[in-house]
Amino acid sequence: MTDQSPQACGGLLRRLRTRAQLTQRELAKMATLSTRTVSDLERGINRTARTTTAELLADALDLAGPERALFMAAARGRPTSIGPELSTRRDDRTQSVTPAGALIGRDGELATLTGLMADLVAGRGSSVLIEGEPGIGKSALVRTALTQAADVGCAAFWGAGDELGEALPLLPLLEGLRVRERPTDPRRDMIVRLMRGEAGADRGMDVPAAMAEQLLALISEQCAAAPTVLVIDDLQWADQASIALWGRLARSVRQMPLLLIGMMRPVPQRDDLLALRRTGGDAQHLRLTGLDEAAVAELVTSLVRAKPDDKLLRLADGATGNPLYVIELLAALARSSSVTVTTTGAAVLVKGSAPGSLAAAIADRLGFVSGPVREVLRAAALLGTDFAVPELAVVLGRGMTNLIPAVDEACTAGVLAESDDGLQFRHPLIRAALYEEIPVAVRAAWHRDAGRALAEADAPVHRVARHLLQALGSPGSTTERMDEWTLRWLARTADLLVAQAPQVAAELLRRAVVTSIAGWAHHEFLAARLADVLYRIGEAVEAELVANRALAYAVEPDLLVDLHWTVAQCRMRAGRFTESLAALDEALASPGIPAGHRARLLVLAARTHNNLGEVEKAGRVATAALEVAAEAGDSWAMGWALHVLTVVTAVQGRMTDALPLFERALAMAETDVTLTDLRLLLQINKAVTLGNLDRYAEAIGTAREALQLADQVGTVIRRGQAHSSLGELLFDTGHWDEAMAEVEALPVEMKAPMEACLDLGIAAVIRFHRGEVAAAGRNLATAVTKAERIGTQVISPFIIARSLDREHAGAQADALAELLAGLVENAEELAEIEDLLPDAVRLAAGTGDKSTARALAVRAEAVAAGSSIPHQRANALYCRGLLEQNAALLLTAADRYGDAGRPLSCAKALEAAADFFRAGKRDQAGAVIDRAAQIYTSLGATTDVIRLRAADV
């Protein structure tokens, strides 16, 4: 969108001066100009400025980069964009095909967006999804709403999905935020370095996740500088990472001055877009439908600049209210001289024929361009809706100057328009019409030639890959063999492509591995990369199969390590930990393994031992991994080794000792973009550890920070873990409604088995206490199917829920057996099993099993010995009080539980004390029962309140 008014320069100068908090006199003094010069420019008396004057003003205002170029263009009287940060790529296109009249009939929707803009200026962020068919006016609506963005101090960015770039991660945001255009910005520079493989070029690194973190940080920084509008058009063509990032931003807009706008067509009905509609935070939904009859008549009037006759209106009604169709229809009629304006000011239809569809109307426009120009346009259609002129020249093998006549004709015909980065089709439908008229076989050959030409011109890997992918035909097809040049290009670029665009890499590498022959110089390498990328995109079964096949003939040490690593990861994901260790042991036994590889294999082995519940062994292997990693200078391996040690130390009950390890690991993770995922995991586990220390205020604060970070940069798995950890902390501290919201925030199928068991266990425990037995039973039934994949790991809420299920059925002995099984399955996991001891002693004492109760009480006292953690001391007092039927000890235990911030345990201790008081001190029993009932009531634990009151009768 452009502002070509006489006051363009003056208005921009005024906004920049105001932003810099300068008076006219102060700016004039800094620029060594007269105050009159500044005043005349701002008032429009002088509509342009001399170059020297503009340079002085730009220097005084400290303008640089695109912002300086924008001001200099305005000062010289050239059209300027509406704001210093607005990417006008889509804006120019909609301007060119949808004049102001196209917004007729959209007053309500425009008012909604204007209101959201007003909220943004006031510091309140929000999000909105706009849906509608092609040409319905989505982009024009948003463009109009943004016309005042810069005037009110807002920055605006505009990106869009690309049909040819759908498999390329984060492309709409990278282009919309102009990441490549401002390399002097440190944040953008880091993202560019990640894209080029220059930062954190590590095969274990999730580059799209790291880029997502950097993009979110960039957006946060931009919002801190000024209220920001971020528009993503054509979401239906955006990649999954972009959709996920849009969703995370939508959930975060309340925390920053960001207006997030997404636009999409109703089809295709992609699963991730359907999920976005359901879970996109508090995003408003605007659905644009066709204009009504009166609005169509008004639009036609504005286009022909006269009052249309009935025939013309009936013809326009056939456009079903689609503004673009109406505009193209009227343009076609104008080209064929089918409309005449009479002397009385009426627009009369003099010829009855007109395009019968929007596609036909676009074809009519294209029919007016010459053959040579149409050939250039077809080549441009291969590049996408937006394209750079140098890239078009490379694909056509022609010089830039040679293209000028064809480009001029295409612009005159209304097919192309200028954009910030080059050229664009005036609407995606125009590009689609040209693209689809190319025969499929010819199209594939053109894409292959285009990819090769761009590669030879040193184009970015993702630009080349998108063409090679289109040349292959339908995804997953392996019928056509890959040519030699493409195979060698993949061998050179596979690592970078796997990191940047895993879905694209998977498709290309599948074909490459099928095409190449075992023993060919690069076959094993391509197979290893295919196995790696398949694991990354969640195709673990296929990844293991590919890796095992490659292991049969791979001999190079690095490849052997890579392949064994992939096999081990696949088996871990499937819960086959013992098989995973076998693969790792085989890899570690390979001769000539470099220290860096050995460290990473040891890290994975340590994590696998931990997943098997072999905590002590995990600690030993992690310590060895840390030593080898330090020797190799491998920060990735050091960070993950420290992570395993934090887990082991905490699980063994040495929570205080774990905190320095967390700090050491976090310090390393926060400065290394390759450790983004580790940083989040450490934050989650630190919150859990603080909770185990009864430092709940810190724990919940840390958990909320982790959840916020997970919403911004985490995978679905990490988001599930963040919700789980916060949910468990809220459960412990008695905030049960909030806890339920956290543990049910994500569908069970989106969670890892451990988190699913934890969440379902917490939900079931709460529901048993609240008398919702049937619902609790359903939670348990689902959890049992997940528990098969967690080995011998103890998840105390799940085990306690199973025990409560038996107890509610009146099977006290079976309830005790459930707890005892958890206590003996893995005695090393102190942090988990200590939560089982109080209920186990209660049930053992209640069933008359004194020896078991006594043994368990001794274990609780051993845990508490020398401990200053309130709940551990309370557990020992509670168990001893039950064993000795000592109400005083139980009251002290209740106080300690209160100190720990654990209300359920406090109420249980009070209830037990009341039971023993009833034997001889009923007056004291009543007061204790009231205290317990008050706590149970605050928790909504109706089952416990009923039991308590029934025993008091």
Side-chain angles (χ1 to χ4, degrees):
M1 179 171 18
T2 58
D3 179 358
Q4 302 182 43
S5 67
Q7 289 77 31
C9 174
L12 180 57
L13 177 60
R14 183 172 55 255
R15 291 198 298 272
L16 293 170
R17 177 179 59 78
T18 303
R19 187 185 70 181
Q21 298 181 333
L22 296 172
T23 64
Q24 288 183 348
R25 179 175 296 178
E26 289 169 339
L27 176 58
K29 184 177 181 181
M30 292 174 65
T32 65
L33 297 169
S34 69
T35 305
R36 177 69 176 270
T37 299
V38 176
S39 175
D40 286 352
L41 281 170
E42 290 192 358
R43 289 184 294 150
I45 295 175
N46 291 331
R47 301 180 180 184
T48 61
R50 294 177 180 174
T51 301
T52 53
T53 300
E55 291 282 1
L56 289 170
L57 288 168
D59 289 341
L61 291 165
D62 199 25
L63 301 181
E67 195 172 50
R68 187 184 185 94
L70 175 74
F71 176 75
M72 294 301 296
R76 300 307 300 147
R78 301 188 184 100
T80 62
S81 61
I82 63 170
E85 299 294 343
L86 180 59
S87 173
T88 57
R89 196 153 39 240
R90 288 301 186 270
D91 202 359
D92 286 339
R93 177 171 62 223
T94 52
Q95 174 73 11
S96 60
V97 300
T98 50
L103 285 178
I104 291 167
R106 303 297 186 205
D107 292 349
E109 293 89 346
L110 187 57
T112 296
L113 292 184
T114 302
L116 295 178
M117 284 285 294
D119 289 342
L120 179 65
V121 173
R124 296 187 295 274
S126 56
S127 57
V128 59
L129 273 173
I130 304 174
E131 294 188 56
E133 65 183 36
I136 205 66
K138 303 182 294 293
S139 299
L141 171 66
V142 175
R143 172 182 53 79
T144 302
L146 291 184
T147 54
Q148 303 303 316
D151 288 335
V152 295
C154 295
F157 298 87
W158 191 304
D162 184 336
E163 191 173 8
L164 294 181
E166 188 176 331
L168 299 171
L170 304 169
L171 190 63
L173 289 113
L174 292 169
E175 295 190 346
L177 291 164
R178 298 185 172 186
V179 167
R180 298 179 184 88
E181 298 175 25
R182 299 170 65 183
T184 55
D185 176 351
R187 185 71 64 184
R188 286 179 170 86
D189 179 61
M190 172 57 74
I191 297 171
V192 170
R193 290 173 59 210
L194 283 167
M195 294 169 64
R196 293 173 178 166
E198 297 169 1
D202 170 35
R203 285 181 185 168
M205 177 185 180
D206 187 342
V207 173
M211 287 198 299
E213 180 184 26
Q214 294 296 317
L215 285 169
L216 285 162
L218 176 62
I219 293 167
S220 178
E221 290 165 0
Q222 175 59 48
C223 289
T228 299
V229 184
L230 176 59
V231 181
I232 302 297
D233 202 352
D234 288 326
L235 278 170
Q236 77 279 353
W237 288 333
D239 60 285
Q240 292 183 349
S242 294
I243 298 298
L245 191 54
W246 199 98
R248 290 170 189 162
L249 284 169
R251 290 187 292 273
S252 305
V253 289
R254 299 296 183 189
Q255 302 165 23
M256 54 184 161
L258 173 67
L259 173 54
L260 182 66
I261 301 175
M263 291 179 278
M264 60 183 169
R265 301 177 185 180
V267 290
Q269 294 283 335
R270 286 167 43 180
D271 289 343
D272 53 352
L273 291 176
L274 293 173
L276 184 65
R277 291 184 181 99
R278 293 193 304 267
T279 62
D282 297 324
Q284 295 192 41
H285 286 73
L286 296 180
R287 289 181 172 83
L288 299 190
T289 57
L291 301 177
D292 60 27
E293 187 175 328
V296 170
E298 189 177 349
L299 175 57
V300 173
T301 301
S302 71
L303 292 169
V304 299
R305 298 181 182 179
K307 183 178 180 180
D309 68 357
D310 291 342
K311 287 183 179 180
L312 184 55
L313 287 177
R314 282 197 298 272
L315 191 63
D317 284 342
T320 64
N322 185 298
L324 178 62
Y325 190 0
V326 174
I327 292 165
E328 288 295 326
L329 179 65
L330 268 294
L333 292 173
R335 285 191 294 270
S336 61
S337 301
S338 297
V339 177
T340 298
V341 179
T342 67
T343 56
T344 60
V348 178
L349 181 66
V350 295
K351 295 180 183 178
S353 63
S357 67
L358 178 54
I362 290 171
D364 182 88
R365 179 183 292 275
L366 293 173
F368 280 78
V369 299
S370 63
V373 173
R374 199 179 188 96
E375 199 69 11
V376 171
L377 290 173
R378 284 174 174 164
L382 294 174
L383 300 177
T385 304
D386 300 273
F387 56 93
V389 179
E391 196 167 290
L392 178 61
V394 167
V395 170
L396 286 169
R398 293 161 64 174
M400 294 276 289
T401 55
N402 184 263
L403 290 176
I404 292 176
V407 168
D408 286 345
E409 183 179 334
C411 290
T412 302
V415 177
L416 296 179
E418 292 185 19
S419 71
D420 286 349
D421 296 330
L423 293 171
Q424 61 189 5
F425 287 95
R426 286 180 178 261
H427 196 280
L429 292 176
I430 297 175
R431 179 254 163 200
L434 284 160
Y435 187 75
E436 289 167 6
E437 74 180 21
I438 306 171
V440 173
V442 175
R443 192 189 306 164
W446 269 28
H447 273 300
R448 185 162 43 248
D449 291 345
R452 184 166 185 169
L454 290 169
E456 291 171 352
D458 293 324
V461 168
H462 74 276
R463 300 292 296 176
V464 177
R466 69 192 299 187
H467 289 288
L468 297 181
L469 188 63
Q470 295 297 322
L472 293 181
S474 58
S477 170
T478 57
T479 56
E480 186 176 340
R481 298 180 66 81
M482 187 173 281
D483 64 276
E484 181 75 12
W485 181 89
T486 304
L487 286 171
R488 294 189 180 281
W489 179 83
L490 268 178
R492 293 195 308 271
T493 61
D495 282 329
L496 189 56
L497 191 61
V498 166
Q500 290 184 3
Q503 292 287 351
V504 174
E507 287 298 327
L508 291 173
L509 287 167
R510 277 192 180 105
R511 186 71 60 89
V513 170
V514 170
T515 298
S516 62
I517 301 171
W520 177 64
H522 303 293
H523 179 84
E524 291 82 359
F525 172 77
L526 293 176
R529 298 283 58 77
L530 175 59
D532 176 29
V533 76
L534 288 171
Y535 171 76
R536 292 184 189 220
I537 65 175
E539 302 290 344
V541 174
E542 185 183 355
E544 184 178 356
L545 181 63
V546 170
N548 278 326
R549 285 175 179 168
L551 280 169
Y553 45 80
V555 293
E556 200 270 319
D558 284 354
L559 286 181
L560 286 170
V561 169
D562 283 347
L563 290 165
H564 281 300
W565 173 280
T566 300
V567 169
Q569 290 274 43
C570 292
R571 291 173 179 175
M572 280 181 64
R573 180 173 288 184
R576 293 154 50 208
F577 299 116
T578 303
E579 293 179 56
S580 179
L581 280 174
L584 291 169
D585 289 342
E586 186 176 348
L588 285 165
S590 301
I593 298 179
H597 285 330
R598 179 171 295 278
R600 294 182 178 217
L601 290 169
L602 286 169
V603 165
L604 191 55
R607 292 170 66 187
T608 307
H609 283 297
N610 184 61
N611 286 331
L612 277 169
E614 300 170 356
V615 179
E616 188 175 340
K617 182 70 175 291
R620 290 199 303 271
V621 176
T623 300
L626 185 59
E627 292 175 358
V628 177
E631 175 189 340
D634 188 335
S635 60
W636 188 95
M638 290 173 66
W640 280 101
L642 283 167
H643 157 70
V644 176
L645 288 174
T646 63
V647 174
V648 168
T649 306
V651 166
Q652 290 176 333
R654 297 181 289 120
M655 269 77 73
T656 303
D657 294 338
L659 291 179
L661 291 172
F662 276 116
E663 297 307 319
R664 183 179 170 190
L666 279 167
M668 182 171 293
E670 287 170 356
T671 58
D672 188 341
V673 293
T674 69
L675 296 175
T676 299
D677 185 59
L678 174 63
R679 173 188 166 197
L680 180 52
L681 187 58
L682 288 166
Q683 191 94 345
I684 293 168
N685 288 341
K686 181 182 177 183
V688 173
T689 301
L690 287 168
N692 289 334
L693 288 166
D694 295 336
R695 292 162 60 172
Y696 279 107
E698 294 174 73
I700 291 174
T702 302
R704 291 193 189 280
E705 290 175 7
L707 181 56
Q708 182 177 354
L709 182 62
D711 278 339
Q712 292 176 338
V713 303
T715 61
V716 171
I717 295 295
R718 292 289 179 253
R719 284 179 58 208
Q721 291 170 336
H723 280 293
S724 293
S725 63
L726 180 56
E728 186 172 22
L729 294 168
L730 292 169
F731 168 74
D732 288 346
T733 53
H735 300 90
W736 283 7
D737 291 335
E738 291 181 68
M740 288 294 290
E742 295 300 330
V743 300
E744 294 183 338
L746 295 177
V748 173
E749 58 270 15
M750 294 175 65
K751 303 176 184 180
M754 287 175 56
E755 282 66 48
C757 288
L758 174 62
D759 290 351
L760 290 164
I762 290 171
V765 170
I766 290 174
R767 286 178 167 134
F768 276 127
H769 281 285
R770 289 181 166 179
E772 301 166 5
V773 178
R778 289 192 294 271
N779 288 143
L780 271 182
T782 304
V784 167
T785 64
K786 303 291 184 180
E788 298 169 354
R789 297 177 57 187
I790 62 174
T792 61
Q793 282 205 320
V794 175
I795 299 178
S796 57
F798 173 54
I799 293 175
I800 290 170
R802 294 181 64 152
S803 177
L804 281 172
D805 180 50
R806 297 291 79 221
E807 193 171 354
H808 274 265
Q812 306 292 98
D814 291 343
L816 174 60
E818 292 284 357
L819 297 175
L820 292 178
L823 287 166
V824 300
E825 278 183 354
N826 203 328
E828 292 181 344
E829 297 189 30
L830 183 60
E832 292 292 338
I833 66 172
E834 67 173 357
D835 289 337
L836 306 180
L837 291 170
D839 279 328
V841 171
R842 175 179 61 82
L843 288 167
T847 56
D849 189 348
K850 299 295 185 184
S851 62
T852 298
R854 190 175 296 108
L856 295 175
V858 169
R859 288 182 68 175
E861 288 168 342
V863 172
S867 172
S868 60
I869 301 174
H871 82 265
Q872 291 184 342
R873 299 177 66 182
N875 283 346
L877 290 166
Y878 177 81
C879 293
R880 180 57 57 184
L882 287 174
L883 197 63
E884 297 179 359
Q885 300 186 2
N886 187 324
L889 282 179
L890 290 166
L891 288 177
T892 304
D895 290 340
R896 295 293 79 76
Y897 281 129
D899 295 339
R902 300 191 176 199
L904 178 62
S905 297
C906 178
K908 286 182 176 180
L910 291 169
E911 183 179 0
D915 287 341
F916 297 134
F917 274 135
R918 286 191 187 99
K921 299 181 180 180
R922 295 195 63 84
D923 55 333
Q924 294 187 35
V928 173
I929 287 171
D930 287 342
R931 284 180 60 193
Q934 185 177 7
I935 295 173
Y936 282 139
T937 301
S938 70
L939 298 173
T942 54
T943 298
D944 301 294
V945 173
I946 292 170
R947 181 188 63 251
L948 192 65
R949 294 303 186 189
D952 195 35
V953 174

